[in-house]
Amino acid sequence: MNTAFSIDLSPDAAEIERINSELDMVGQAEDWPMAFDYNIRLVIEELFMNIVMHGAKNDKCEIELSLESNSEIVKITIIENGVAFNPLTDSSAPDLESDLSERAIGGLGVHLIRNLVDDIDYKRVSGRNSISFSKRK
């Protein structure tokens, strides 16, 4: 089965509900395993909330999320016109060794994302950030 959708989102945490509604339809239609579904949602939420909290400096930020899925792989792309930021290189690696009380805040989200997806890519084109990731079924 091939599935695709694209939705325009505002930089508002409440938009997670709309994203999840779209994912519900795709996940049910394609019978995604629970763990696969959870991982896709977690990665999208982490990326989206980073945009909302750090990249969207005003209400003029426009965010587009698109999904393409076939029997082998799901590919998600998030494009937005917020502050230029490559989470793959502009974030420091998290400290996973120190006691929790001694660790600096930040970096764990990108670390988590890298461990949940099969491929991830960032580019900045025409004043817009584009981050794509894929996960094999």
Side-chain angles (χ1 to χ4, degrees):
M1 171 180 248
N2 292 331
T3 307
F5 73 80
S6 179
I7 54 174
D8 294 324
L9 304 160
S10 61
D12 183 337
E15 293 281 51
I16 292 293
E17 288 181 39
R18 285 185 54 214
I19 294 168
N20 283 330
S21 291
E22 294 289 336
L23 293 173
D24 286 344
M25 289 187 283
V26 175
Q28 289 172 8
E30 296 189 1
D31 197 26
W32 287 355
M34 188 182 305
F36 180 87
D37 184 78
Y38 178 80
N39 290 344
I40 292 287
R41 289 171 193 264
L42 184 60
V43 171
I44 290 172
E45 183 172 339
E46 179 67 27
L47 292 170
F48 182 77
M49 290 308 299
N50 278 339
I51 293 166
V52 170
M53 293 175 14
H54 305 293
K57 295 298 181 187
N58 59 51
D59 60 358
K60 299 210 181 341
C61 183
E62 299 170 348
I63 305 165
E64 177 187 345
L65 184 144
S66 59
L67 175 144
E68 297 175 27
S69 179
N70 61 41
S71 62
E72 297 176 12
I73 196 165
V74 171
K75 181 178 180 183
I76 309 283
T77 302
I78 302 174
I79 300 172
E80 45 88 9
N81 62 343
V83 175
F85 179 72
N86 180 348
L88 305 178
T89 60
D90 296 348
S91 302
S92 58
D95 176 2
L96 302 175
E97 302 298 322
S98 298
D99 187 74
L100 283 177
S101 63
E102 297 173 5
R103 294 182 192 181
I105 295 174
L108 283 175
V110 172
H111 176 75
L112 176 70
I113 290 167
R114 286 181 182 271
N115 285 286
L116 292 177
V117 302
D118 295 312
D119 187 41
I120 189 163
D121 181 57
Y122 168 87
K123 56 187 164 197
R124 178 97 175 157
V125 179
S126 302
R128 297 171 60 99
N129 297 305
S130 175
I131 192 154
S132 297
F133 71 89
S134 60
K135 183 156 183 71
R136 288 176 201 68
K137 294 181 179 176

